[in-house]
């Protein structure tokens, strides 16, 4: 494997991580925030679109590198800045172009491979579930704390009771009113 192949592999790896993140976030929003059921086919369509979108970005970067190379051809003076390329940069710009094209091709190949798209959805679903599970574990540890295991229990008890009276009981009462339950909520119960 040459340096170009290594750069393409690294680019695909980075783009795949971005795709997983995007699909994972989409799964979380659709299933939790919008209450939609997990449908692998619907998310496969989204995953396909994400991969194609990332390929389009790489193709645009390749086109930019090509334009920069054409503009740099025949310029032998000192450059005025980071993106002011000269003839001596032609090889580097040619290599970048090939790398961008290679990453774009690999991403389009993945987008057109149903097994690769399905794998992306599954990995993203697992990552989404991992986020949900970690959040639940964190909340259960805090909310499920036993007094004998909490060294600050006595010191924080007053604040917790005040929070219960000022926030939780009024919230429960409002919820019960919305639900049509007319029995009053008593803070002493």
């Amino acid at each position: 494997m040459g340096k170009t192949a290594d750069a393409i592999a690294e680019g695909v790896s980075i783009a795949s991580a971005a795709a997983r993140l995007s699909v994972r976030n989409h799964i979380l929003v659709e299933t939790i925030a919008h209450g939609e059921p997990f449908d692998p086919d619907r998310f496969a369509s989204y995953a396909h679109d994400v991969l194609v979108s990332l390929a389009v970005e790489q193709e645009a970067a390749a086109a930019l590198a090509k334009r920069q190379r054409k503009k740099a051809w025949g310029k032998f003076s000192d450059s005025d800045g980071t993106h002011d390329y000269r003839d001596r940069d032609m090889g580097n710009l040619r290599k970048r172009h090939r790398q961008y094209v290679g990453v774009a091709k690999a991403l389009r190949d993945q987008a057109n491979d149903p097994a690769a798209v399905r794998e992306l959805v599954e990995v993203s679903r697992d990552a989404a579930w991992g986020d949900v599970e970690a959040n639940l574990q964190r909340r259960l540890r805090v909310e499920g704390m036993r007094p004998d295991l909490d060294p600050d229990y006595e010191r924080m008890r007053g604040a917790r009771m005040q929070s219960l009276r000022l926030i939780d009981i009024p919230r429960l009462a409002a919820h019960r009113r919305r639900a049509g339950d007319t029995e009053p909520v008593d803070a002493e119960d």
Side-chain angles (χ1 to χ4, degrees), residues 62 65 68 85 91-101:
Q68 290 171 330
Y85 299 106
N92 191 20
L93 290 169
R94 191 176 296 111
K95 183 186 284 189
R96 282 187 195 172
H97 178 266
R98 282 193 310 266
Q99 292 167 349
Y100 289 133
V101 167

Side-chain angles (χ1 to χ4, degrees), residues 63-112:
L64 175 62
K66 189 174 189 174
R67 284 193 309 275
Q68 290 171 330
R69 191 176 81 231
K70 286 181 179 182
K71 187 177 173 185
W73 185 77
K75 287 185 175 181
F76 297 101
S77 61
D78 289 337
S79 66
D80 292 330
T82 306
H83 300 290
D84 185 25
Y85 299 106
R86 297 295 184 241
D87 195 79
R88 65 182 165 270
D89 299 313
M90 296 287 285
N92 191 20
L93 290 169
R94 191 176 296 111
K95 183 186 284 189
R96 282 187 195 172
H97 178 266
R98 282 193 310 266
Q99 292 167 349
Y100 289 133
V101 167
V103 172
K105 181 186 179 318
L107 291 172
R108 285 198 181 273
D109 289 348
Q110 282 182 11
N112 294 324

